[in-house]
Amino acid sequence: MKTSERMVNGRVRVSTGTPWEPVVGYSRAVRVGPYVHVSGTTATDGEGRIVGVGDPYAQAVQTLKNIASALERAGARLEDVVRTRIYVTDIGRWEEVGRAHGEFFGEIRPATSMVEVSRLISPEILVEIEADAYVAEAV
C-alpha cells in the first residue's frame, strides 16, 4: 500500500493509501499543532490483509503496531498517547485484548475505554482501536 503525509490547512494528514480513505473521507491520522488523532485502526498488514483472524490478542497487537506507525508518521510516539478507545466484538475475550494493550501502554497508562460492538466493518475483524496523543514541546 502507498502511504503518505500531506500538510493541508495547517493539518498533517497521514494516509495509508487504502481505496476507502477518499471515499469515506478520512485520514489514518491527523495532526494539528501538538494534537494527533489516530482513526479507528484494525489488524491489517502492509498489503491490507487481516492479521490474526479469530485471535483478538494477535489482532490487538497488530492494530497497536499500526497505530504506532501512524503516530510516528505524524511526528508522535506511543509515549505521547493520552487516550485510547477499544472496540471489541466479544467482550468475553477482553483480557486478551487488554493484555496486548498493556504490553504497549503498561508504563504510559493512557485513559482508555473498552466497549463491545455488534460488529465491525468486516466479520473477521474482532478489534478496532483509536488513539489520541499530545506532543509536548521539548524544554
Side-chain angles (χ1 to χ4, degrees):
M1 265 189 283
K2 181 184 173 195
T3 62
S4 67
E5 297 80 31
R6 183 172 171 211
M7 176 72 84
V8 177
N9 297 327
R11 298 173 180 226
V12 175
R13 297 189 321 198
V14 175
S15 171
T16 58
T18 61
W20 50 84
E21 286 175 5
V23 171
V24 177
Y26 77 98
S27 298
R28 169 62 39 223
V30 175
R31 179 174 181 166
V32 178
Y35 301 99
V36 180
H37 302 279
V38 181
S39 293
T41 302
T42 58
T44 53
D45 65 14
E47 302 300 316
R49 294 180 299 253
I50 298 168
V51 173
V53 173
D55 184 344
Y57 170 80
Q59 287 197 11
V61 167
Q62 181 64 45
T63 297
L64 291 163
K65 288 178 181 178
N66 292 348
I67 287 171
S69 174
L71 287 166
E72 182 179 320
R73 292 175 46 221
R77 305 170 305 145
L78 285 174
E79 291 80 5
D80 299 317
V81 172
V82 295
R83 176 130 175 82
T84 60
R85 292 169 199 83
I86 306 167
Y87 305 96
V88 297
T89 58
D90 181 359
I91 200 71
R93 298 183 74 180
W94 72 268
E95 290 179 86
E96 296 168 74
V97 177
R99 179 167 48 97
H101 189 274
E103 290 170 5
F104 283 77
F105 291 111
E107 296 297 317
I108 302 163
R109 310 266 313 253
T112 195
S113 56
M114 184 185 303
V115 297
E116 181 178 47
V117 296
S118 61
R119 67 181 189 170
L120 294 165
I121 197 119
S122 172
E124 296 85 15
I125 297 174
L126 307 174
V127 178
E128 183 170 312
I129 303 174
E130 300 173 355
D132 297 322
Y134 178 81
V135 182
E137 296 297 320
V139 178

